mmCIF file of all heavy atoms in Angstrom:
data_model
loop_
_atom_site.group_PDB
_atom_site.id
_atom_site.type_symbol
_atom_site.label_atom_id
_atom_site.label_comp_id
_atom_site.label_asym_id
_atom_site.label_seq_id
_atom_site.Cartn_x
_atom_site.Cartn_y
_atom_site.Cartn_z
ATOM 1 N N ALA W 259 -26.923 -17.906 65.962
ATOM 2 C CA ALA W 259 -27.351 -16.566 65.529
ATOM 3 C C ALA W 259 -27.730 -16.588 64.041
ATOM 4 O O ALA W 259 -28.726 -15.972 63.634
ATOM 5 C CB ALA W 259 -26.245 -15.550 65.776
ATOM 6 N N ALA W 260 -26.938 -17.310 63.238
ATOM 7 C CA ALA W 260 -27.218 -17.401 61.793
ATOM 8 C C ALA W 260 -28.589 -18.040 61.560
ATOM 9 O O ALA W 260 -29.348 -17.605 60.680
ATOM 10 C CB ALA W 260 -26.128 -18.205 61.100
ATOM 11 N N MET W 261 -28.920 -19.057 62.384
ATOM 12 C CA MET W 261 -30.239 -19.714 62.249
ATOM 13 C C MET W 261 -31.356 -18.798 62.748
ATOM 14 O O MET W 261 -32.383 -18.648 62.105
ATOM 15 C CB MET W 261 -30.275 -21.003 63.065
ATOM 16 C CG MET W 261 -29.453 -22.117 62.481
ATOM 17 S SD MET W 261 -29.850 -23.678 63.253
ATOM 18 C CE MET W 261 -29.185 -23.485 64.888
ATOM 19 N N GLN W 262 -31.119 -18.181 63.920
ATOM 20 C CA GLN W 262 -32.169 -17.353 64.534
ATOM 21 C C GLN W 262 -32.562 -16.170 63.649
ATOM 22 O O GLN W 262 -33.700 -15.733 63.662
ATOM 23 C CB GLN W 262 -31.709 -16.840 65.912
ATOM 24 C CG GLN W 262 -31.512 -17.925 66.958
ATOM 25 C CD GLN W 262 -32.801 -18.683 67.242
ATOM 26 O OE1 GLN W 262 -33.887 -18.125 67.233
ATOM 27 N NE2 GLN W 262 -32.676 -19.990 67.456
ATOM 28 N N LEU W 263 -31.581 -15.637 62.883
ATOM 29 C CA LEU W 263 -31.888 -14.505 61.996
ATOM 30 C C LEU W 263 -32.924 -14.888 60.944
ATOM 31 O O LEU W 263 -33.686 -14.051 60.467
ATOM 32 C CB LEU W 263 -30.610 -14.028 61.293
ATOM 33 C CG LEU W 263 -29.771 -12.997 62.038
ATOM 34 C CD1 LEU W 263 -28.438 -12.790 61.333
ATOM 35 C CD2 LEU W 263 -30.509 -11.660 62.159
ATOM 36 N N ILE W 264 -32.948 -16.176 60.610
ATOM 37 C CA ILE W 264 -33.892 -16.648 59.592
ATOM 38 C C ILE W 264 -35.214 -17.110 60.216
ATOM 39 O O ILE W 264 -36.283 -16.835 59.690
ATOM 40 C CB ILE W 264 -33.269 -17.825 58.779
ATOM 41 C CG1 ILE W 264 -31.984 -17.378 58.088
ATOM 42 C CG2 ILE W 264 -34.259 -18.394 57.764
ATOM 43 C CD1 ILE W 264 -32.145 -16.232 57.115
ATOM 44 N N VAL W 265 -35.123 -17.816 61.375
ATOM 45 C CA VAL W 265 -36.366 -18.364 61.944
ATOM 46 C C VAL W 265 -37.119 -17.362 62.820
ATOM 47 O O VAL W 265 -38.338 -17.414 62.912
ATOM 48 C CB VAL W 265 -36.152 -19.683 62.747
ATOM 49 C CG1 VAL W 265 -35.722 -20.804 61.832
ATOM 50 C CG2 VAL W 265 -35.183 -19.503 63.892
ATOM 51 N N ASN W 266 -36.382 -16.441 63.453
ATOM 52 C CA ASN W 266 -37.069 -15.496 64.339
ATOM 53 C C ASN W 266 -36.300 -14.171 64.436
ATOM 54 O O ASN W 266 -35.808 -13.796 65.503
ATOM 55 C CB ASN W 266 -37.229 -16.138 65.729
ATOM 56 C CG ASN W 266 -38.048 -15.267 66.659
ATOM 57 O OD1 ASN W 266 -38.685 -14.305 66.215
ATOM 58 N ND2 ASN W 266 -38.023 -15.570 67.946
ATOM 59 N N PRO W 267 -36.200 -13.430 63.317
ATOM 60 C CA PRO W 267 -35.408 -12.190 63.338
ATOM 61 C C PRO W 267 -35.974 -11.130 64.289
ATOM 62 O O PRO W 267 -35.231 -10.296 64.785
ATOM 63 C CB PRO W 267 -35.459 -11.705 61.882
ATOM 64 C CG PRO W 267 -36.620 -12.389 61.267
ATOM 65 C CD PRO W 267 -36.797 -13.678 61.993
ATOM 66 N N LYS W 268 -37.298 -11.200 64.553
ATOM 67 C CA LYS W 268 -37.954 -10.181 65.390
ATOM 68 C C LYS W 268 -37.397 -10.126 66.806
ATOM 69 O O LYS W 268 -37.538 -9.137 67.499
ATOM 70 C CB LYS W 268 -39.454 -10.480 65.551
ATOM 71 C CG LYS W 268 -40.248 -10.565 64.300
ATOM 72 C CD LYS W 268 -41.729 -10.661 64.647
ATOM 73 C CE LYS W 268 -42.108 -11.999 65.260
ATOM 74 N NZ LYS W 268 -42.775 -12.921 64.361
ATOM 75 N N GLN W 269 -36.765 -11.250 67.266
ATOM 76 C CA GLN W 269 -36.284 -11.298 68.645
ATOM 77 C C GLN W 269 -35.111 -10.337 68.883
ATOM 78 O O GLN W 269 -34.794 -10.005 70.012
ATOM 79 C CB GLN W 269 -35.833 -12.713 68.999
ATOM 80 C CG GLN W 269 -34.558 -13.136 68.257
ATOM 81 C CD GLN W 269 -34.153 -14.563 68.517
ATOM 82 O OE1 GLN W 269 -33.687 -14.895 69.586
ATOM 83 N NE2 GLN W 269 -34.333 -15.409 67.517
ATOM 84 N N PHE W 270 -34.444 -9.893 67.777
ATOM 85 C CA PHE W 270 -33.217 -9.113 67.960
ATOM 86 C C PHE W 270 -33.464 -7.611 67.979
ATOM 87 O O PHE W 270 -34.320 -7.095 67.260
ATOM 88 C CB PHE W 270 -32.220 -9.432 66.841
ATOM 89 C CG PHE W 270 -31.725 -10.851 66.869
ATOM 90 C CD1 PHE W 270 -31.966 -11.709 65.801
ATOM 91 C CD2 PHE W 270 -31.031 -11.334 67.971
ATOM 92 C CE1 PHE W 270 -31.506 -13.019 65.827
ATOM 93 C CE2 PHE W 270 -30.571 -12.642 68.004
ATOM 94 C CZ PHE W 270 -30.812 -13.494 66.931
ATOM 95 N N ASP W 271 -32.646 -6.928 68.794
ATOM 96 C CA ASP W 271 -32.617 -5.463 68.799
ATOM 97 C C ASP W 271 -31.238 -5.035 68.284
ATOM 98 O O ASP W 271 -31.096 -4.619 67.143
ATOM 99 C CB ASP W 271 -32.892 -4.965 70.230
ATOM 100 C CG ASP W 271 -32.816 -3.458 70.362
ATOM 101 O OD1 ASP W 271 -32.934 -2.771 69.332
ATOM 102 O OD2 ASP W 271 -32.635 -2.956 71.491
ATOM 103 N N VAL W 272 -30.198 -5.208 69.124
ATOM 104 C CA VAL W 272 -28.832 -4.891 68.685
ATOM 105 C C VAL W 272 -27.977 -6.155 68.807
ATOM 106 O O VAL W 272 -28.005 -6.837 69.832
ATOM 107 C CB VAL W 272 -28.211 -3.769 69.551
ATOM 108 C CG1 VAL W 272 -26.805 -3.422 69.067
ATOM 109 C CG2 VAL W 272 -29.094 -2.523 69.532
#
Side-chain angles (χ1 to χ4, degrees):
M261 288 194 290
Q262 294 299 324
L263 273 171
I264 300 300
V265 293
N266 185 12
K268 302 188 289 258
Q269 69 184 288
F270 295 118
D271 177 20
V272 181

